[in-house]
Amino acid sequence: MARNQAELNFPKGGVLFIIVAVVLIILFSRSTVTIGPGEGGVVFERFGDGINTDKTYGEGFQIVAPWNEMIVRKVRQQSISDEMNVLSVNGLEVKVSGTIWYEPEFSKLGLLIKTKGEDYERELLDPAINAAARSVVGRYTPEQLYSSKRDVIEQEILDEITKLLEDQYLIVKRVLVEDVKLPPTIRTAIETKLKQEQESLEYEFRLAKAKKEAERQKIDAEGKAVANKILSASLTDKILQEKGIEATLELSKSPNSKVVLIGSGKSGMPIILGNQ
């Protein structure tokens, strides 16, 4: 009986307050959004014109009207990897795998979602990548794709994608061609040809090196011959006699006992008999 009396004495205003508090809590929870690092958000106005393209919300705590919706997407640099079959310039099918780095324009995120939808990678980026890869790869032979043209192909694919995505609010930063797979027979033939070319280059290098060494030895020998010729021409009998006399005088100063025969040698040069 006392419990029923207490229920009767509970103020009606208290019930209303509780109901209002619950409604406010629900509205507040629906009106707050936390946008994470590297993300951006745009508002979908349910009773307005749809996506609001005037403003992109950045990281942090954001408040929106409870009847609207905040669409949150990554706006930092992202990557997508793909593998596709394409035809080379001579009609041979090759499999190309690569990675694309891209990011949406932050200030144009609303326009991007409004025109291409939330799944804009599938609607916009994938077709552009496929079209660019087929266009560029179709200009080259399998040998060029397999060996020396990789960096050129990457830049050309990037240029093609940039043209296709112009004014589409999506920026492609870099293209990396990771692998080019050819049919086994074609791959073996290319590797054999490259090996033969490398061996030919090594042989030409050895020949050039040997030729340079022969030229060096020839120049060295010619230099020595010229030097000897000049030296022989300069050594006259008079100079030799003078040098001999100078040597005799130096030896005569030696404390060792010796016998000097003047004019006994050929051309009148002294003969020295030492260590007596």
Side-chain angles (χ1 to χ4, degrees), residues 242-256:
E242 183 179 350
K243 294 295 183 182
I245 293 170
E246 291 177 355
T248 302
L249 292 173
E250 290 296 325
L251 287 172
S252 66
K253 297 176 182 179
S254 171
N256 298 327

Side-chain angles (χ1 to χ4, degrees), residues 223-266:
K224 289 180 179 179
V226 171
N228 291 334
K229 184 177 180 180
I230 293 172
L231 181 62
S232 298
S234 63
L235 294 176
T236 64
D237 293 340
K238 186 176 180 180
I239 292 177
L240 290 173
Q241 290 178 357
E242 183 179 350
K243 294 295 183 182
I245 293 170
E246 291 177 355
T248 302
L249 292 173
E250 290 296 325
L251 287 172
S252 66
K253 297 176 182 179
S254 171
N256 298 327
S257 60
K258 59 187 73 65
V259 176
V260 181
L261 302 178
I262 305 298
S264 297
K266 292 181 180 180

Side-chain angles (χ1 to χ4, degrees), residues 86-145:
V86 294
L87 298 178
S88 64
V89 69
N90 53 6
L92 179 69
E93 187 177 85
V94 298
K95 184 174 292 185
V96 179
S97 59
T99 299
I100 310 293
W101 283 268
Y102 70 96
E103 63 183 40
E105 291 187 45
F106 179 82
S107 61
K108 303 294 179 61
L109 182 61
L111 286 170
L112 177 60
I113 295 176
K114 191 177 186 69
T115 56
K116 302 301 176 182
E118 293 185 56
D119 193 13
Y120 49 77
E121 288 93 349
R122 183 176 59 85
E123 297 291 336
L124 183 62
L125 189 59
D126 287 350
I129 294 172
N130 292 334
R134 285 181 169 81
S135 174
V136 172
V137 173
R139 305 170 191 167
Y140 295 96
T141 64
E143 184 176 349
Q144 291 171 327
L145 295 172

